[in-house]
Amino acid sequence: MTENYLTVLEESLRTKLQVMEQIQQYNLRQQEIFQGDTVDMNQFDAYIEEKGSLIQQLESLDNGFESLYEKVAAELADNRAKYAEQIRRLQGLVTEVTDKSVMIQAQEARNKKLVEAYFQKAKGHIGDNRRTSKAAYDYYRNMSKGAVNLPQFMDSKK
């Protein structure tokens, strides 16, 4: 029975690695969006939503793994030699999951910087547009006051 549990744990970790690989792919796509000439915010939002569902799937896998591991932890501690090979495979998979998690966090940090830079640039453009609009409005307001000065050097005698 414990061997079946260990097999399920191993499959859970393999599935988790596949989901994490998909998250990495979405991170790369998001990075491409912000490194390109034009930014498609709708596509970026779509990637965020898809990543959100993948993250929920990861959380579900984590919860299932933890609850199953609690069932077999005592048996594994008592019979380490009997399950040594499967334990080594599980440890290797846990190491892979941890490494991939670190890589995803690094990708997320890089993407965060790209997004912040994009919004800072957009904010600067908004400020420029606001100043330009204000200057145009001030000019229009000054010109429409009706203060028409007649030419000073015109001979008014006829």
Side-chain angles (χ1 to χ4, degrees):
M1 186 68 150
T2 302
E3 290 178 8
N4 290 340
Y5 284 149
L6 291 175
T7 303
V8 171
L9 288 174
E10 189 174 332
E11 287 303 314
S12 173
L13 288 173
R14 290 188 193 286
T15 304
K16 186 172 181 175
L17 284 170
Q18 290 172 350
V19 171
M20 292 175 94
E21 182 65 35
Q22 290 175 329
I23 290 173
Q24 282 184 311
Q25 293 302 316
Y26 281 113
N27 282 342
L28 290 174
R29 291 176 190 156
Q30 287 176 328
Q31 183 178 359
E32 290 170 359
I33 286 174
F34 285 101
Q35 288 178 337
D37 294 334
T38 58
V39 175
D40 184 1
M41 290 304 288
N42 291 330
Q43 189 64 47
F44 178 74
D45 289 340
Y47 289 157
I48 293 256
E49 286 182 29
E50 291 178 34
K51 273 178 41 180
S53 68
L54 290 172
I55 289 169
Q56 287 177 346
Q57 190 176 351
L58 277 179
E59 289 174 358
S60 161
L61 286 168
D62 279 344
N63 293 338
F65 183 89
E66 288 175 13
S67 65
L68 189 57
Y69 182 76
E70 287 174 6
K71 291 180 181 179
V72 296
E75 175 71 21
L76 290 177
D78 293 341
N79 298 315
R80 273 187 97 61
K82 181 178 178 183
Y83 303 109
E85 181 60 32
Q86 287 180 305
I87 291 172
R88 271 194 294 280
R89 283 197 311 260
L90 287 173
Q91 287 172 336
L93 288 170
V94 168
T95 301
E96 285 183 53
V97 166
T98 303
D99 292 345
K100 203 166 280 286
S101 176
V102 168
M103 288 191 295
I104 288 172
Q105 287 175 352
Q107 282 180 319
E108 291 288 344
R110 284 191 298 270
N111 284 352
K112 180 182 177 192
K113 287 182 182 178
L114 287 172
V115 169
E116 287 173 348
Y118 170 77
F119 284 121
Q120 189 65 31
K121 184 177 173 183
K123 184 178 174 185
H125 288 306
I126 290 171
D128 290 344
N129 290 342
R130 188 177 295 143
R131 282 189 292 277
T132 303
S133 295
K134 183 179 179 336
Y137 176 73
D138 288 344
Y139 174 78
Y140 174 76
R141 191 180 65 208
N142 286 335
M143 295 309 286
S144 67
K145 283 185 180 178
V148 177
N149 292 332
L150 297 173
Q152 300 295 321
F153 298 108
M154 188 164 177
D155 188 11
S156 58
K157 295 180 192 176
K158 278 199 172 184

